[in-house]
Amino acid sequence: SNPCIGLGKLPPDKKEVNYWTLDDFRLFATTLRKPTHIMIFYLLFWTGIRIGEALAITWDDVDLEQNTININKTLTRLDREDIITPPKTDNSNRLVFLPQFIADMLKDYKRMSQYNGDMVFNITRDSVFLKLRKSSNKLGLKPIRIHDLRHSHASLLINAGFSPIEVAD
Protein backbone atom coordinates (compact mmCIF):
# COMPACT_ATOMS: atom_id res chain seq x y z
CA SER A 1 0.00 0.00 0.00
CA ASN A 2 1.07 3.57 -0.60
CA PRO A 3 1.82 5.38 2.69
CA CYS A 4 1.33 8.77 0.99
CA ILE A 5 -2.36 8.19 0.24
CA GLY A 6 -4.47 10.55 2.27
CA LEU A 7 -1.74 13.13 2.85
CA GLY A 8 -3.42 15.67 0.60
CA LYS A 9 -1.83 17.87 -2.00
CA LEU A 10 1.83 18.73 -1.80
CA PRO A 11 3.32 21.13 -1.03
CA PRO A 12 0.97 22.23 1.72
CA ASP A 13 -0.61 25.65 1.43
CA LYS A 14 1.68 28.28 2.84
CA LYS A 15 0.39 30.62 5.50
CA GLU A 16 -0.02 34.25 4.56
CA VAL A 17 3.05 36.27 5.51
CA ASN A 18 2.20 39.32 7.58
CA TYR A 19 4.27 42.46 7.40
CA TRP A 20 4.05 46.21 7.86
CA THR A 21 4.82 48.80 5.25
CA LEU A 22 7.19 51.65 6.01
CA ASP A 23 4.16 53.89 6.64
CA ASP A 24 2.75 51.33 9.11
CA PHE A 25 6.07 51.23 10.95
CA ARG A 26 6.37 55.01 11.04
CA LEU A 27 2.89 55.26 12.55
CA PHE A 28 3.75 52.59 15.13
CA ALA A 29 7.03 54.38 15.95
CA THR A 30 5.08 57.47 17.06
CA THR A 31 3.96 55.45 20.11
CA LEU A 32 7.49 54.60 21.25
CA ARG A 33 8.69 56.58 24.26
CA LYS A 34 11.30 54.48 26.07
CA PRO A 35 14.79 54.55 24.52
CA THR A 36 14.99 50.74 24.69
CA HIS A 37 11.70 50.33 22.81
CA ILE A 38 12.72 52.89 20.21
CA MET A 39 16.09 51.24 19.62
CA ILE A 40 14.96 47.62 19.51
CA PHE A 41 12.00 48.21 17.18
CA TYR A 42 14.05 50.34 14.80
CA LEU A 43 16.81 47.73 14.82
CA LEU A 44 14.38 44.86 14.16
CA PHE A 45 12.57 46.68 11.34
CA TRP A 46 15.61 48.16 9.60
CA THR A 47 17.93 45.14 9.83
CA GLY A 48 15.62 42.13 9.80
CA ILE A 49 17.44 40.38 12.63
CA ARG A 50 15.52 37.97 14.84
CA ILE A 51 14.36 39.06 18.30
CA GLY A 52 16.54 36.44 20.04
CA GLU A 53 19.56 37.67 18.09
CA ALA A 54 18.83 41.29 19.03
CA LEU A 55 18.44 40.45 22.72
CA ALA A 56 21.79 38.59 22.70
CA ILE A 57 23.80 41.47 21.21
CA THR A 58 26.60 42.80 23.40
CA TRP A 59 28.42 46.07 22.83
CA ASP A 60 31.45 44.00 21.76
CA ASP A 61 29.34 42.77 18.81
CA VAL A 62 28.66 46.32 17.65
CA ASP A 63 31.18 48.23 15.51
CA LEU A 64 29.95 51.80 15.29
CA GLU A 65 32.87 52.85 13.10
CA GLN A 66 32.09 50.24 10.43
CA ASN A 67 28.30 50.38 11.09
CA THR A 68 28.02 46.64 11.64
CA ILE A 69 26.69 44.16 14.16
CA ASN A 70 28.20 40.70 14.44
CA ILE A 71 25.33 38.24 14.89
CA ASN A 72 26.89 35.19 16.57
CA LYS A 73 24.44 34.12 19.29
CA THR A 74 20.80 34.14 20.30
CA LEU A 75 19.04 34.58 23.61
CA THR A 76 16.22 32.36 24.81
CA ARG A 77 14.53 32.34 28.19
CA LEU A 78 13.85 29.05 29.92
CA ASP A 79 12.42 28.77 33.44
CA ARG A 80 13.04 32.48 34.06
CA GLU A 81 16.69 32.13 33.11
CA ASP A 82 18.37 33.70 30.08
CA ILE A 83 20.30 31.22 27.96
CA ILE A 84 22.72 32.26 25.24
CA THR A 85 23.08 29.73 22.42
CA PRO A 86 24.53 29.70 18.91
CA PRO A 87 22.25 31.18 16.23
CA LYS A 88 19.45 29.20 14.60
CA THR A 89 21.58 27.97 11.66
CA ASP A 90 25.21 28.18 10.53
CA ASN A 91 24.17 30.83 7.99
CA SER A 92 22.72 32.85 10.86
CA ASN A 93 26.28 33.72 11.92
CA ARG A 94 26.71 36.90 9.94
CA LEU A 95 27.74 40.51 9.84
CA VAL A 96 24.76 42.85 9.56
CA PHE A 97 25.38 46.25 8.00
CA LEU A 98 23.52 49.13 9.57
CA PRO A 99 22.01 52.13 7.80
CA GLN A 100 23.84 55.25 8.97
CA PHE A 101 20.86 56.59 10.88
CA ILE A 102 20.52 53.31 12.83
CA ALA A 103 24.24 53.43 13.69
CA ASP A 104 23.75 57.03 14.87
CA MET A 105 20.76 55.96 16.97
CA LEU A 106 22.86 53.17 18.50
CA LYS A 107 25.60 55.66 19.39
CA ASP A 108 23.08 57.85 21.20
CA TYR A 109 21.46 54.82 22.81
CA LYS A 110 24.83 53.57 24.05
CA ARG A 111 25.60 56.96 25.55
CA MET A 112 22.22 57.03 27.33
CA SER A 113 22.26 53.43 28.56
CA GLN A 114 25.76 52.77 29.87
CA TYR A 115 24.30 51.40 33.07
CA ASN A 116 23.11 48.29 31.17
CA GLY A 117 26.58 46.74 31.12
CA ASP A 118 27.71 44.52 28.26
CA MET A 119 24.25 43.74 26.87
CA VAL A 120 22.81 46.23 24.39
CA PHE A 121 19.23 45.51 25.48
CA ASN A 122 18.02 44.92 29.00
CA ILE A 123 14.49 43.94 28.03
CA THR A 124 12.48 40.75 27.68
CA ARG A 125 10.89 39.31 24.57
CA ASP A 126 7.52 39.48 26.35
CA SER A 127 7.80 43.22 26.98
CA VAL A 128 8.68 43.78 23.30
CA PHE A 129 5.68 41.68 22.25
CA LEU A 130 3.38 43.49 24.68
CA LYS A 131 4.42 46.92 23.37
CA LEU A 132 3.95 45.73 19.78
CA ARG A 133 0.49 44.33 20.47
CA LYS A 134 -0.83 47.22 22.58
CA SER A 135 0.40 49.95 20.25
CA SER A 136 -0.75 48.26 17.05
CA ASN A 137 -4.21 47.63 18.54
CA LYS A 138 -4.46 51.23 19.74
CA LEU A 139 -3.57 52.54 16.27
CA GLY A 140 -5.73 50.04 14.38
CA LEU A 141 -2.70 48.59 12.59
CA LYS A 142 -2.73 45.07 11.23
CA PRO A 143 -1.65 42.83 14.12
CA ILE A 144 1.74 41.24 13.50
CA ARG A 145 4.16 39.09 15.47
CA ILE A 146 7.65 40.25 16.41
CA HIS A 147 9.03 37.90 13.74
CA ASP A 148 6.87 39.67 11.16
CA LEU A 149 9.13 42.70 11.54
CA ARG A 150 11.70 40.47 9.81
CA HIS A 151 9.21 39.93 6.98
CA SER A 152 8.58 43.69 6.94
CA HIS A 153 12.29 44.28 6.42
CA ALA A 154 12.39 41.76 3.56
CA SER A 155 9.39 43.47 1.94
CA LEU A 156 11.10 46.84 2.35
CA LEU A 157 14.20 45.52 0.56
CA ILE A 158 12.19 43.96 -2.27
CA ASN A 159 10.29 47.22 -2.78
CA ALA A 160 13.66 49.02 -2.88
CA GLY A 161 14.69 46.85 -5.84
CA PHE A 162 16.68 44.06 -4.21
CA SER A 163 16.22 40.60 -5.69
CA PRO A 164 14.81 37.80 -3.52
CA ILE A 165 18.25 36.11 -3.59
CA GLU A 166 19.91 39.32 -2.33
CA VAL A 167 17.28 39.59 0.41
CA ALA A 168 17.87 35.98 1.46
CA ASP A 169 21.63 36.55 1.58
Side-chain angles (χ1 to χ4, degrees):
S1 68
N2 184 344
C4 294
I5 292 175
L7 288 179
K9 66 180 183 174
L10 295 176
D13 292 334
K14 291 191 173 197
K15 293 180 182 178
E16 182 180 327
V17 175
N18 286 324
Y19 64 93
W20 278 347
T21 64
L22 180 56
D23 288 339
D24 292 336
F25 179 76
R26 285 181 173 151
L27 179 60
F28 168 76
T30 65
T31 68
L32 303 174
R33 300 289 178 260
K34 295 180 181 177
T36 302
H37 284 151
I38 294 168
M39 193 68 252
I40 198 160
F41 281 110
Y42 270 81
L43 190 66
L44 292 170
F45 183 83
W46 286 99
T47 65
I49 63 176
R50 297 175 180 91
I51 183 67
E53 295 169 341
L55 294 175
I57 296 169
T58 64
W59 286 112
D60 287 340
D61 298 323
V62 180
D63 184 339
L64 293 172
E65 290 184 16
Q66 298 297 315
N67 294 353
T68 60
I69 296 178
N70 183 20
I71 302 296
N72 55 21
K73 55 192 165 295
T74 190
L75 183 138
T76 55
R77 194 161 178 85
L78 186 62
D79 297 328
R80 296 184 181 195
E81 185 179 334
D82 291 338
I83 300 169
I84 303 287
T85 60
K88 186 176 176 182
T89 67
D90 286 340
N91 288 338
S92 295
N93 282 303
R94 64 200 184 281
L95 199 59
V96 173
F97 293 90
L98 304 172
Q100 185 62 53
F101 76 97
I102 295 292
D104 292 341
M105 287 175 70
L106 268 171
K107 287 174 191 171
D108 288 341
Y109 178 73
K110 183 176 184 179
R111 184 179 43 78
M112 290 186 298
S113 60
Q114 289 179 345
Y115 59 89
N116 281 348
D118 291 341
M119 302 302 289
V120 172
F121 297 108
N122 187 14
I123 191 170
T124 65
R125 183 186 312 249
D126 288 343
S127 66
V128 174
F129 169 75
L130 190 62
K131 179 62 180 170
L132 180 69
R133 189 185 61 170
K134 281 186 173 182
S135 293
S136 60
N137 286 344
K138 180 180 174 183
L139 294 168
L141 286 170
K142 174 175 40 177
I144 64 170
R145 305 166 301 153
I146 296 171
H147 188 78
D148 293 330
L149 291 170
R150 186 169 164 83
H151 299 159
S152 301
H153 178 71
S155 174
L156 185 72
L157 292 178
I158 289 170
N159 286 327
F162 289 86
S163 73
I165 291 172
E166 290 171 315
V167 172
D169 287 345

